[in-house]
Amino acid sequence: MLSKKLEKLLNEQIEIESNSSYTYLAMASWCEINGMEGAASFFYNQSDEERIHMLKLFRYINEKGGVAITPVNKKPKMDYKNILEVVKAFYEHEKSVSQAVNKLVYMANEDKDYTTLNFLQWYVSEQHEEETLARTLLDKIKLIGMEANGLFLIDNEIGKYATMKKQTSVNMGNEDN
Ligand code: FEO
């Protein structure tokens, strides 16, 4: 049984993950419109993954006897100056999600809710992976630079990560998503 406080925080995390999905969908769209197909694929995949993160939480709350609340999404930022700004925003966003996950872990620990603590470990690992990936992309953009054919190379680089990451699946039994 979830404590009311933890249930509220888990529901807030549902909103965070859902908003992440729409934030990355808008980034994918920006990349696509601006001729960066590799980066667009990457952010479309990210958007799908975030929806899966949201669904895992949604189902967990209900399984534990709580009530999962269908999230209301904020309108995501649609416009960016350039790809550097997009990837910077991606990195900052992931850092803020990690903080929210840490808060959840802290609360589950306070509640001595070891099942939820165990459930949240997956998010801790996922956040570590995503923050590292975002920082890697940012470093690559800085290294390549956006002059001359830099944008073409950056798009290729980001696109590689889209194909490296496994195709996402809405199969909730797939723990690797
Ligand atoms: Fe599910 Fe990367 O936030």
Side-chain angles (χ1 to χ4, degrees):
M1 189 75 186
L2 292 169
S3 71
K4 281 291 156 203
K5 205 167 175 183
L6 196 51
E7 184 180 336
K8 184 171 178 286
L9 270 187
L10 286 165
N11 268 310
E12 283 173 17
Q13 193 66 27
I14 285 180
E15 278 200 21
I16 290 171
E17 302 291 348
S18 186
N19 279 314
S20 300
S21 178
Y22 284 96
T23 296
Y24 299 155
L25 184 63
M27 286 179 178
S29 178
W30 184 91
C31 293
E32 196 162 49
I33 289 165
N34 286 279
M36 305 191 82
E37 284 177 16
S41 297
F42 174 80
F43 283 110
Y44 277 126
N45 282 358
Q46 281 302 123
S47 175
D48 285 347
E49 284 196 16
E50 297 300 347
R51 183 167 188 279
I52 290 166
H53 299 177
M54 184 271 289
L55 284 173
K56 276 179 187 281
L57 285 156
F58 200 94
R59 296 190 61 181
Y60 181 75
I61 294 172
N62 285 345
E63 277 166 18
K64 288 282 285 176
V67 179
I69 299 170
T70 305
V72 176
N73 294 294
K74 285 188 256 172
K75 190 171 170 31
K77 178 174 162 67
M78 302 284 292
D79 202 21
Y80 292 91
K81 273 199 300 250
N82 52 39
I83 189 67
L84 178 62
E85 195 187 38
V86 173
V87 176
K88 265 188 188 164
F90 172 45
Y91 182 41
E92 292 305 319
H93 189 81
E94 286 302 325
K95 283 199 290 186
S96 74
V97 175
S98 296
Q99 281 178 359
V101 169
N102 287 345
K103 196 169 150 190
L104 269 170
V105 169
Y106 177 83
M107 191 50 64
N109 202 37
E110 286 282 291
D111 278 2
K112 297 189 171 45
D113 182 341
Y114 300 113
T115 314
T116 302
L117 206 51
N118 185 50
F119 168 76
L120 290 171
Q121 288 315 303
W122 183 86
Y123 287 85
V124 172
S125 308
E126 185 69 13
Q127 279 315 118
H128 171 67
E129 193 185 299
E130 295 199 327
E131 258 192 60
T132 305
L133 173 58
R135 205 178 49 243
T136 301
L137 295 182
L138 206 47
D139 289 345
K140 279 186 188 287
I141 293 176
K142 287 177 183 166
L143 195 68
I144 296 169
M146 293 195 294
E147 297 78 30
N149 59 354
L151 286 180
F152 177 76
L153 296 174
I154 288 167
D155 187 42
N156 273 351
E157 277 300 317
I158 300 178
K160 275 185 209 163
Y161 287 89
T163 49
M164 254 183 235
K165 292 193 106 184
K166 264 192 311 137
Q167 282 298 308
T168 54
S169 155
V170 288
N171 176 3
M172 297 302 294
N174 186 348
E175 288 300 310
D176 295 332
N177 279 315

